[in-house]
């Protein structure tokens, strides 16, 4: 009787001990990595993508936590200061990530993580301006171009324009048929620098001008840059009437409802066209260079953001392994397939035909969307000045010369050419 | 209950007893004040002091840097385009306030007078007029933005269909009409508020006064002009101060109706939007700069509010 009790007690103890040891071992192997993002719309896609990673890395669970995009910067900045923050965070690009880097809230990744799949131009968006270290693995690229409604173009007997004259002739035909030729907005000022660069980058000389400004050889008051702003005045008759009252979503509605066959914007619209207007066949073309352009057609692009590691993470090695994988072709291909955006990883091929067209055009005619890529490192940013100024241009309150002066004045407060390199 | 020490207990025993009985002990008073005091300190005083401290420091994102004294304040008035946006936004706030006083509060007074007498429909109309301010400003802005949409909006479509195409303007897209439109929409939203206050004020005026005037042969307008309106002075004072505070802190409606940079070309830019942009869309030193702006806005609103209130109180005293 006594021995049986002792046996029972001993076995119970043994079982408890085993369970304890087991759970300890499990606790050591099981790692949950939290990934924060501003892409609520991509939650399902990311969960599918991370399922693949979890299958290949037993013991690692990746939890994707998206926040509302407009509040994300503040949420992340707060999250990175203490407990409860993410292990891996989606980071804004270029100027948008500098505050986090300067505050020492991210781990440097160069030398730690294989970044060989990326060009320097791409990595620039995740690089600390002060210390030159790379703090994120880029996940996306955006490019600018013109979307068009293939059905309406066919109905009007139009083809993709290759010269400025053809472009203007096409716009006249479209307007003559009762459509709004270019259904772009001007109420939301952020779309205006996009329109300017997509249309007029060749007029100011694209990458060469960018290099010259960064080197201090010229500035925004350059006559070619002034002329590039004036190109928008030439296009205004083809934009919606009272364009400064037309909001971004109104403009997208013009396009998907077939009221306007052209929308000039970024590759990030493709997902929206696909989901909101699956019946409309959408094509893309590069806006032909305006008269007196210094280059051929250009496709301005920028790195959209990256994934970095929280300096306070409890699992730095696992987190680094995860972001390294996010720089692989496997991740990049799934990213472009499932999320319909361009991946910056060399060796990935977009399966979506429209996206593939953007990729090809961007590869063959590369340029940087320079106000975003180079002039968001200080306040005011280039785009924050140019946007409202172009509104004033459309309202007839200012001239291209005055706009160029305003842009230069604003940027010169924090930008010195020597610093740029 | 501990009685307060009384120097002369025999003088007026009954009264003293009462006084002491009604006067709770200091710890009791403290206990009752404590919750409000803690809440007020934590949610009002602390953030205000915090903002004042932040405004004198340099920031790197959320990380506080060196003490810079008044440099942030100086930056507000010297950094382009902030130095142009601030005075412009201030002017728009002034226009917003004057426009709201003229339109919203006059209409509120009119509705209050019209709804003072009738038995029938009084409740119904009061509810209808106060309904909009139960809706979030963001939703109100969004709804009116849809209504006023120059391409698809029902307002312009209606105007066009009844042959008034000339009146079909891009209401929010034209600098000449954008701010007035914002003021009107804001008035539409808030008109029920002054209406209720004026209504309560009118109800508080003794009916005898009106009857006496009527017997003396005063018209309805005469009664309003010489009796009701002057007696509403305290309410007008309250409405003015609340309108001033509300308008100088305006954000939600403008933000959702027009946009974050007060389009077109800054025609609807107000201080609230400038603050928002500085704080959430500025450079890495945004925190200090935005705090400085917040401190200035607070000081201005506080000073003017106290001033207006004092002025109205003197006016009341003089009338009495």
């Amino acid at each position: 009787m006594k021995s049986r009790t002792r046996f029972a007690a001993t076995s119970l103890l043994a079982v408890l001990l085993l369970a304890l040891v087991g759970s300890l071992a499990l606790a050591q192997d099981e790692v949950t990595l939290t990934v924060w993002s501003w892409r609520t719309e991509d939650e399902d896609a990311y969960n599918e993508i991370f399922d693949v990673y979890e299958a290949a890395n037993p013991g690692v669970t990746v939890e994707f936590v998206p926040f509302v995009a407009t509040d994300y910067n503040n949420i992340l900045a707060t999250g990175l200061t203490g407990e409860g923050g993410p292990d891996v965070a989606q980071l804004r690009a270029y100027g948008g990530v500098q505050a986090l880097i300067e505050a020492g809230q991210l781990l440097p990744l160069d030398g730690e993580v294989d970044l060989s799949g990326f060009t320097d131009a791409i990595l620039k968006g995740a690089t600390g301006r002060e210390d030159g270290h790379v703090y994120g693995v880029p996940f996306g690229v955006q490019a600018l171009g013109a979307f068009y409604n293939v059905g309406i173009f066919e109905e009007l007997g139009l083809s993709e324009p290759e010269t400025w004259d053809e472009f203007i002739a096409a716009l006249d035909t479209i307007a003559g048929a009762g459509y709004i030729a270019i259904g772009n907005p001007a109420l939301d000022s952020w779309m205006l620098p996009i329109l300017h660069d997509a249309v007029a980058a060749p007029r100011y000389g694209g990458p060469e001008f960018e290099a010259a400004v960064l080197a201090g050889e010229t500035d925004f008051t350059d006559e070619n840059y002034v002329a590039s702003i004036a190109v928008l005045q030439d296009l205004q008759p083809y934009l919606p009437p009272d364009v400064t009252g037309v909001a971004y979503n109104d403009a997208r509605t013009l396009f998907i409802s077939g009221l306007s066959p052209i929308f000039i914007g970024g590759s990030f619209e493709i997902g929206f066209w696909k989901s909101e207007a699956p019946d409309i066949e959408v094509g893309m073309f590069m806006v032909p260079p305006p008269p007196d352009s210094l280059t051929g057609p250009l496709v301005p692009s920028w790195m959209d953001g990256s994934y970095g590691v929280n300096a306070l993470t409890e699992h730095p090695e696992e987190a680094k392994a995860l972001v390294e994988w996010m720089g692989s072709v496997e991740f990049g291909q799934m990213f472009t397939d499932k999320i319909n955006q361009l991946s910056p990883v060399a060796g990935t091929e977009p399966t979506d035909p429209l996206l593939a067209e953007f990729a090809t055009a961007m590869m063959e005619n590369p340029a940087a969307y320079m106000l975003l890529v180079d002039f968001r490192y200080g306040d005011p940013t280039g785009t924050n000045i140019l946007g409202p100024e172009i509104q004033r241009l459309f309202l007839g309150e200012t001239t291209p010369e005055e706009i160029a002066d305003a842009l230069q004045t604003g940027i010169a407060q924090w930008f010195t050419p020597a610093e740029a390199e | 209950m501990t009685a307060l020490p009384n120097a002369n207990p025999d003088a007026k025993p009954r009264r003293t007893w009462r006084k002491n009985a009604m006067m709770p002990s200091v710890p009791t008073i403290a206990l009752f004040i404590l919750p409000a005091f803690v809440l007020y300190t934590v949610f009002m005083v602390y953030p205000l002091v915090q903002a004042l401290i932040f405004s004198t420091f340099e920031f790197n994102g959320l990380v506080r840097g060196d003490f810079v004294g008044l440099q942030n304040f100086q930056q507000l008035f010297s950094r382009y385009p902030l130095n142009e946006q601030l005075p412009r936004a201030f002017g728009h706030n002034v226009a917003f306030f004057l426009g709201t006083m003229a339109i919203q509060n006059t209409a509120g007074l009119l509705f209050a007078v019209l709804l003072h007498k009738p038995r029938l429909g009084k409740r119904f109309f009061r509810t209808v007029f106060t309904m909009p301010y139960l809706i979030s400003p963001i939703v109100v802005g969004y709804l009116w933005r849809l209504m006023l949409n120059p391409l698809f909006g029902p307002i312009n479509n209606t105007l066009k269909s009844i042959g008034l195409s000339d009146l079909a303007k891009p209401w929010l897209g034209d600098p000449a009409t954008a701010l007035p439109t914002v003021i009107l929409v804001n008035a539409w939203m808030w008109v029920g508020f002054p209406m209720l206050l004026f209504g309560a004020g009118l109800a508080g005026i003794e009916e005898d006064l009106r009857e006496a005037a009527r017997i003396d042969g005063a018209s309805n307008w005469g009664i309003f002009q010489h009796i009701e309106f002057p007696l509403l002075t305290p309410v007008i004072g309250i409405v003015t101060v609340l309108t001033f505070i509300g308008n100088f802190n305006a954000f939600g409606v403008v933000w959702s109706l027009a946009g974050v940079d007060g389009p077109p070309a800054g025609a609807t830019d107000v201080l609230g939007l400038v603050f928002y942009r500085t704080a959430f869309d500025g450079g890495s030193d945004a925190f200090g700069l935005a705090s400085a702006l917040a401190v200035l806005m607070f000081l201005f609103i506080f000073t003017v509010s106290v001033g207006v209130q004092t002025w109205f109180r003197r006016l009341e005293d003089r009338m009495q």
Side-chain angles (χ1 to χ4, degrees):
Chain A
M1 195 63 185
K2 226 178 190 180
S3 69
R4 203 191 274 176
T5 319
R6 193 179 296 161
F7 174 73
T10 320
S11 7
L12 190 71
L13 196 70
V15 168
L16 281 175
L17 264 175
L18 265 177
L20 189 70
V21 170
S23 67
L24 274 177
L26 266 179
Q28 270 169 2
D29 288 343
E30 283 289 333
V31 170
T32 299
L33 295 173
T34 319
V35 178
W36 282 12
S37 159
W38 66 79
R39 295 285 300 184
T40 46
E41 58 272 59
D42 297 342
E43 190 171 2
D44 293 342
Y46 270 110
N47 282 332
E48 287 172 27
I49 291 172
F50 288 134
D51 283 347
V52 175
Y53 184 77
E54 287 169 358
N57 296 272
V60 178
T61 310
V62 183
E63 201 189 335
F64 183 78
V65 187
F67 296 93
V68 181
T70 42
D71 292 336
Y72 181 75
N73 294 4
N74 296 308
I75 294 172
L76 180 63
T78 316
L80 291 179
T81 52
E83 279 177 33
D87 299 291
V88 171
Q90 191 172 26
L91 305 171
R92 306 281 184 188
Y94 306 101
V97 70
Q98 298 304 318
L100 302 178
I101 293 176
E102 282 165 29
Q105 292 170 324
L106 300 170
L107 291 183
L109 300 178
D110 38 344
E112 303 275 324
V113 162
D114 178 17
L115 296 167
S116 57
F118 303 102
T119 62
D120 286 348
I122 291 292
L123 287 177
K124 181 179 174 184
T127 301
R129 204 165 121 93
E130 300 276 310
D131 64 8
H133 287 298
V134 179
Y135 288 88
V137 176
F139 63 83
V141 172
Q142 304 293 353
L144 301 179
F147 294 99
Y148 71 98
N149 184 321
V150 176
I152 297 177
F153 264 52
E154 279 172 1
E155 170 199 317
L156 299 175
L158 298 169
S159 54
E160 292 179 9
E162 290 185 355
T163 65
W164 185 259
D165 289 342
E166 282 176 33
F167 182 49
I168 295 295
L171 295 178
D172 283 328
T173 309
I174 296 166
Y179 295 102
I180 293 168
I182 303 174
N184 266 60
L187 183 68
D188 300 274
S189 62
W190 63 270
M191 272 298 286
L192 293 168
I194 285 183
L195 178 69
H196 169 253
D197 230 43
V199 168
R203 179 63 192 86
Y204 66 72
E208 263 182 51
F209 177 77
E210 182 195 9
V213 172
L214 293 181
E217 290 156 17
T218 184
D219 62 24
F220 288 101
T221 58
D222 189 290
E223 57 171 356
N224 288 313
Y225 198 81
V226 172
S228 76
I229 298 171
V231 172
L232 294 178
Q233 283 178 309
D234 301 337
L235 283 190
Q236 191 178 356
Y238 302 105
L239 293 170
D242 303 316
V243 67
T244 50
V246 177
Y248 172 60
N249 272 324
D250 302 346
R252 301 206 296 181
T253 308
L254 285 176
F255 188 76
I256 60 173
S257 58
L259 293 171
S260 171
I262 297 176
F263 183 92
I264 297 173
S267 49
F268 50 84
E269 304 290 0
I270 292 175
F272 184 79
W273 304 147
K274 273 187 144 180
S275 66
E276 301 304 312
D279 300 336
I280 295 182
E281 193 189 335
V282 181
M284 76 80 62
F285 62 87
M286 292 176 284
V287 178
D292 303 319
S293 280
L294 306 179
T295 70
L298 291 174
V299 178
S301 67
W302 68 97
M303 194 276 263
D304 204 19
S306 66
Y307 281 98
V309 178
N310 183 352
L312 299 176
T313 176
E314 287 171 14
H315 312 292
E317 295 313 315
E318 290 84 353
K320 280 182 202 165
L322 176 64
V323 294
E324 182 163 63
W325 178 72
M326 294 172 98
S328 69
V329 177
E330 185 184 24
F331 174 87
Q333 192 61 46
M334 281 193 286
F335 175 84
T336 180
D337 288 349
K338 289 182 194 294
I339 299 178
N340 275 317
Q341 300 206 3
L342 296 167
S343 165
V345 183
T348 54
E349 296 250 352
T351 35
D352 179 79
L354 196 53
L355 209 52
E357 257 191 273
F358 263 98
T360 313
M362 182 177 76
M363 226 87 90
E364 288 169 1
N365 310 276
Y369 174 25
M370 70 180 288
L371 285 189
L372 187 157
V373 168
D374 301 309
F375 294 99
R376 280 202 181 160
Y377 290 100
D379 183 53
T381 64
T383 45
N384 277 357
I385 295 186
L386 191 61
E389 287 295 325
I390 294 176
Q391 284 177 340
R392 295 182 59 214
L393 181 76
F394 286 155
L395 291 164
E397 291 178 5
T398 188
T399 63
E401 288 81 9
E402 286 172 309
I403 295 178
D405 281 344
L407 185 57
Q408 182 59 31
T409 310
I411 281 171
Q413 293 173 111
W414 56 267
F415 169 77
T416 46
E419 249 181 59
E421 283 308 293
Chain B
M1 194 145 293
T2 45
L4 288 170
N6 200 321
N8 188 1
D10 301 321
K12 284 175 183 169
R14 270 194 128 168
R15 227 182 140 185
T16 314
W17 175 82
R18 247 192 219 155
K19 203 177 174 186
N20 284 348
M22 287 198 302
M23 189 73 168
S25 67
V26 173
T28 314
I29 295 174
L31 195 70
F32 275 87
I33 290 178
L34 192 70
F37 179 76
V38 168
L39 283 176
Y40 188 79
T41 312
V42 170
F43 292 109
M44 301 287 290
V45 180
Y46 177 71
L48 276 173
V49 173
Q50 192 83 320
L52 188 64
I53 295 171
F54 280 177
S55 67
T56 56
F57 280 87
E58 198 176 55
F59 273 85
N60 264 328
L62 281 182
V63 180
R64 202 159 79 180
D66 298 333
F67 176 79
V68 291
L70 293 178
Q71 194 188 306
N72 285 324
F73 292 88
Q74 183 229 325
Q75 285 273 305
L76 284 178
F77 297 98
S78 60
R79 189 192 285 188
Y80 177 86
L82 209 50
N83 59 350
E84 287 184 6
Q85 289 174 354
L86 261 187
R88 183 180 66 190
F90 181 80
H92 290 161
N93 275 110
V94 172
F96 202 140
F97 171 64
L98 296 178
T100 304
M101 283 303 286
I103 296 165
Q104 171 192 302
N105 295 345
T106 310
L109 181 59
L110 177 72
F111 293 152
V113 171
L114 290 178
L115 290 178
H116 179 60
K117 280 277 171 60
R119 289 267 161 79
L120 200 68
K122 190 171 178 172
R123 271 244 176 107
F124 173 76
F125 282 108
R126 268 198 188 154
T127 314
V128 167
F129 285 130
T130 44
M131 206 103 91
Y133 80 71
L134 303 180
I135 310 170
S136 155
I138 306 291
V139 178
V140 168
Y142 178 71
L143 288 177
W144 277 97
R145 187 168 167 151
L146 290 181
M147 305 256 284
L148 291 163
N149 188 306
L151 296 167
F152 315 105
I155 291 181
N156 278 2
N157 284 345
T158 310
L159 287 172
K160 280 175 197 160
S161 66
I162 56 171
L164 294 171
S165 296
D166 289 351
L167 284 179
K169 291 188 187 320
W171 300 101
L172 292 164
D174 184 340
T177 53
L179 189 61
T181 307
V182 171
I183 293 171
L184 280 173
V185 170
N186 189 64
W188 174 86
M189 178 177 178
W190 286 106
V191 70
F193 186 65
M195 183 195 77
L196 284 186
L197 289 182
F198 286 130
L202 285 171
I205 296 170
E206 281 174 48
E207 207 51 44
D208 302 356
L209 289 172
R210 294 194 186 91
E211 263 170 41
R214 211 163 280 134
I215 289 167
D216 287 343
S219 64
N220 279 340
W221 171 248
I223 293 174
F224 175 74
Q225 200 184 355
H226 297 294
I227 295 176
E228 293 177 334
F229 190 72
L231 285 175
L232 281 177
T233 308
V235 185
I236 295 171
I238 292 168
V239 169
T240 306
V241 170
L242 290 179
T243 305
F244 175 78
I245 296 173
N247 285 167
F248 270 80
N249 284 323
F251 176 76
V253 170
V254 195
W255 181 79
S256 62
L257 194 58
V260 71
D261 46 12
T268 56
D269 207 10
V270 290
L271 291 172
L273 291 177
V274 176
F275 172 80
Y276 183 85
R277 289 201 304 274
T278 314
F280 297 116
D281 202 16
S284 59
D285 61 343
F287 248 72
L289 212 55
S291 298
L293 180 53
V295 167
L296 287 188
M297 281 170 69
F298 171 76
L299 286 180
F300 175 76
I301 294 169
F302 181 77
T303 317
V304 176
S305 301
V306 170
V308 171
Q309 232 167 348
T310 318
W311 187 79
F312 267 99
R313 205 164 292 152
R314 279 205 198 124
L315 192 68
E316 280 167 47
D317 291 347
R318 228 185 303 150
M319 281 170 39
Q320 275 165 11

